[in-house]
Amino acid sequence: MILKASLREYLSYYKDKRLVTIFMLGISSGFPWVLIGSVMSAWLKDEGLSRSMIGLFGLVFAAYTVNFLWSPLIDRVKLPILERLLGQRRSWILLCQCIIAAATLAMSTVALKEQLFVAALLCFVIALSSATHDIAIDAFRIDSLPEEESEKATAAAAMATSGWWTGYALLGAMPFFLADLPNLNWPHIYVFLAAIMLMLVVVTLLAKEPESNRDVVQAQLEQAYQAKLIELAPGKLSQLTAWLAVTLIEPFKSFFRKNGVKTAIALLAFVFLFKIGESFLARMSIVFYKEIGFTNSQIGQYSKLGSGVITIIFAFLGSIFNHRYGIVKGLFVSGVAMAVSNLMFSWIAIAGPKEHLYAMAIVIDGFTQAWSLVAMVAFISMLCDRAFSATHYALLASLSSLGRTVLSSYSGVVIDDWLAGNWAVFFALTALMVTPSLAFLYFIRHKLYAIEASYHSRVNFKEKV
């Protein structure tokens, strides 16, 4: 499906101040992954911990996988005082940002080898708070664009992706450059990272809370539930039961009702499968770079700074493709590219620490990261009901994160115990992991095209009216 908006019209979308806010909040979403991901992996490696232990340390990322369990609360619970001052979305974002900054600062006081459990606990607090504020940030992005402006969805996805990679890669490059400076150690670096997190709080304070009729819809649903409950079992508990039903049951019921049970299950399965191979690669990438012989500065230059710039550039190019030819085709293209890009790392494993191969791998990997993320973010956003945007997006995004968190935590076990340290075979295996999702995507393509067509037809109908 080709959309009518010209390239000039599409590029004009980026003048919208709401998209700038989405970009800035994307930075806040990506930055915590630095704190408990690449920087923590490098610190653990420098302290002499095994690859298996480093991989298992990533279990703290499980918070991103199950955050849909408490996402209904982000849609419904109003934080005292903060909600009145900032609004529903921003109040949750601000609270979580402050907790992340405090836990990051506490990390700077930890003696890692002697206090491994404390470090893991602080990482879990950061992960839990980050996963929670991601729910609110994603809901903020979806709520910021009314359905009649959903032609801007791919542009918003590109800004969110670019922001995430700015926080994760560009800001994430700094600690690796600092680590190679004399008289600086990883605890000192965590003080610096805590300061960056506090600066991101300013973005939340300056942002404008999006308008939404969410409260009206939820109130109507609650009244309907309450009326049914009074008929079935009159009593004082009907109001509380109705509130719980709308908060905990209706969001999931709405998702399956909107898409149909079979299609909903198919969508959930595809979202789960799509990023598994890339997730296994990402979890062990820093360990691989250091083992193969690259320095901290090279890792910061290529994997963080270079990867971030490349991903941001391709995020915008990918969004143009998705806008012109459809999100589903964008998923096909990015999926094939993911499988090919993983083989580049097998080449490096065989050839050794050659910078030109490293640079080539970063360019290709940056392309696939950007293209797949923009397509997936736009696709998931398209499936969300505006009355439960936090819950629906969290449900789908958490499935997408499952391989990247829980399953990829065993990537160290795979390379150590199954493959005896053979990195070339490991990366070839991650390339093969992409293929089941592509096959699945092909088999459900007609359902996905129908959802996409229905989504844009609703938008066009509203514009005519």
Side-chain angles (χ1 to χ4, degrees):
M1 180 185 66
I2 300 177
L3 303 183
K4 294 182 179 179
S6 67
L7 179 60
R8 178 178 294 180
E9 290 173 323
Y10 178 73
L11 293 177
S12 70
Y13 297 161
Y14 290 101
K15 297 178 182 178
D16 193 325
K17 292 181 180 179
R18 293 171 298 179
L19 268 63
V20 176
T21 301
I22 288 169
F23 172 81
M24 297 302 296
L25 289 175
I27 295 176
S28 182
S29 184
F31 186 66
W33 285 73
V34 177
L35 310 176
I36 56 179
S38 54
V39 171
M40 180 53 62
S41 293
W43 190 7
L44 291 168
K45 181 65 180 175
D46 287 348
E47 291 290 335
L49 276 78
S50 68
R51 289 175 294 202
S52 296
M53 178 59 70
I54 294 171
L56 290 173
F57 215 82
L59 284 172
V60 296
F61 283 96
Y64 292 92
T65 303
V66 297
N67 66 352
F68 71 92
L69 294 176
W70 62 88
S71 59
L73 300 178
I74 312 302
D75 269 329
R76 296 278 280 160
V77 174
K78 301 182 186 301
L79 296 174
I81 303 175
L82 284 177
E83 192 277 334
R84 188 177 71 253
L85 295 173
L86 300 174
Q88 178 82 350
R89 301 309 188 197
R90 288 195 301 152
S91 61
W92 277 102
I93 295 170
L94 180 70
L95 175 64
C96 293
Q97 285 175 327
C98 291
I99 295 174
I100 293 168
T104 304
L105 187 61
M107 190 75 76
S108 68
T109 67
V110 172
L112 192 60
K113 274 192 173 181
E114 292 77 18
Q115 297 177 294
L116 197 60
F117 175 77
V118 175
L121 183 61
L122 288 172
C123 282
F124 177 72
V125 170
I126 293 172
L128 185 65
S129 302
S130 176
T132 302
H133 105 316
D134 280 4
I135 298 170
I137 286 174
D138 291 325
F140 181 98
R141 172 174 48 79
I142 294 168
D143 292 349
S144 294
L145 297 176
E147 286 191 354
E148 58 268 20
E149 293 185 80
S150 57
E151 72 278 0
K152 297 180 180 179
T154 54
M159 292 295 272
T161 300
S162 299
W164 195 95
W165 272 90
T166 299
Y168 175 72
L170 300 191
L171 292 182
M174 295 181 185
F176 286 93
F177 290 119
L178 293 174
D180 280 346
L181 295 177
N183 303 320
L184 272 183
N185 55 33
W186 291 113
H188 293 148
I189 291 170
Y190 268 93
V191 175
F192 171 73
L193 297 176
I196 292 178
M197 195 67 221
L198 282 175
M199 286 190 288
L200 291 171
V201 170
V202 177
V203 175
T204 305
L205 294 174
L206 295 178
K208 182 180 178 181
E209 181 77 4
E211 296 180 3
S212 173
N213 68 340
R214 178 179 59 255
D215 289 341
V216 175
V217 174
Q218 292 173 352
Q220 291 173 346
L221 289 168
E222 192 171 329
Q223 289 175 1
Y225 270 102
Q226 193 170 350
K228 291 179 182 178
L229 288 167
I230 291 174
E231 290 179 5
L232 295 173
K236 296 181 180 179
L237 292 177
S238 60
Q239 186 173 354
L240 175 61
T241 306
W243 187 90
L244 290 172
V246 173
T247 301
L248 303 177
I249 298 174
E250 187 62 28
F252 302 101
K253 182 179 176 182
S254 170
F255 178 77
F256 282 91
R257 182 175 61 241
K258 177 182 177 182
N259 298 299
V261 175
K262 291 183 179 180
T263 300
I265 292 173
L267 289 169
L268 295 175
F270 163 70
V271 170
F272 165 71
L273 289 170
F274 191 60
K275 305 281 280 185
I276 287 180
E278 184 181 297
S279 302
F280 264 74
L281 184 151
R283 185 60 198 163
M284 281 289 109
S285 61
I286 298 297
V287 177
F288 168 68
Y289 298 144
K290 292 178 78 70
E291 282 194 9
I292 205 71
F294 293 113
T295 65
N296 284 323
S297 294
Q298 285 176 314
I299 293 171
Q301 179 181 349
Y302 289 105
S303 287
K304 295 300 181 182
L305 198 59
S307 182
V309 172
I310 292 296
T311 302
I312 290 169
I313 292 172
F314 280 120
F316 290 105
L317 294 178
S319 72
I320 293 172
F321 180 93
N322 293 332
H323 180 77
R324 296 294 296 172
Y325 301 108
I327 297 168
V328 178
K329 290 180 181 177
L331 289 170
F332 269 114
V333 172
S334 62
V336 172
M338 274 195 295
V340 174
S341 68
N342 288 11
L343 295 177
M344 277 297 304
F345 293 91
S346 291
W347 190 359
I348 295 174
I350 295 170
K354 300 184 183 300
E355 280 197 70
H356 70 283
L357 291 182
Y358 194 1
M360 190 185 305
I362 291 303
V363 171
I364 297 174
D365 190 55
F367 160 73
T368 61
Q369 287 271 11
W371 206 291
S372 61
L373 279 171
V374 170
M376 184 60 79
V377 168
F379 182 66
I380 292 176
S381 301
M382 183 175 66
L383 300 176
C384 294
D385 188 327
R386 297 304 175 98
F388 305 104
S389 53
T391 306
H392 284 183
Y393 195 93
L395 171 64
L396 294 163
S398 63
L399 276 173
S400 180
S401 298
L402 184 58
R404 185 170 50 190
T405 53
V406 176
L407 295 182
S408 66
S409 296
Y410 294 95
S411 54
V413 176
V414 172
I415 184 66
D416 276 344
D417 298 343
W418 294 10
L419 303 176
N422 192 323
W423 286 108
V425 175
F426 173 77
F427 291 122
L429 181 63
T430 64
L432 291 175
M433 289 179 183
V434 181
T435 53
S437 67
L438 294 179
F440 195 81
L441 180 63
Y442 179 79
F443 287 123
I444 65 170
R445 68 192 186 283
H446 296 303
K447 294 179 180 179
L448 300 183
Y449 284 136
I451 292 172
E452 189 174 15
S454 174
Y455 176 69
H456 289 295
S457 66
R458 290 198 305 272
V459 174
N460 293 335
F461 176 76
K462 289 182 179 182
E463 287 177 347
K464 290 176 182 178
V465 173

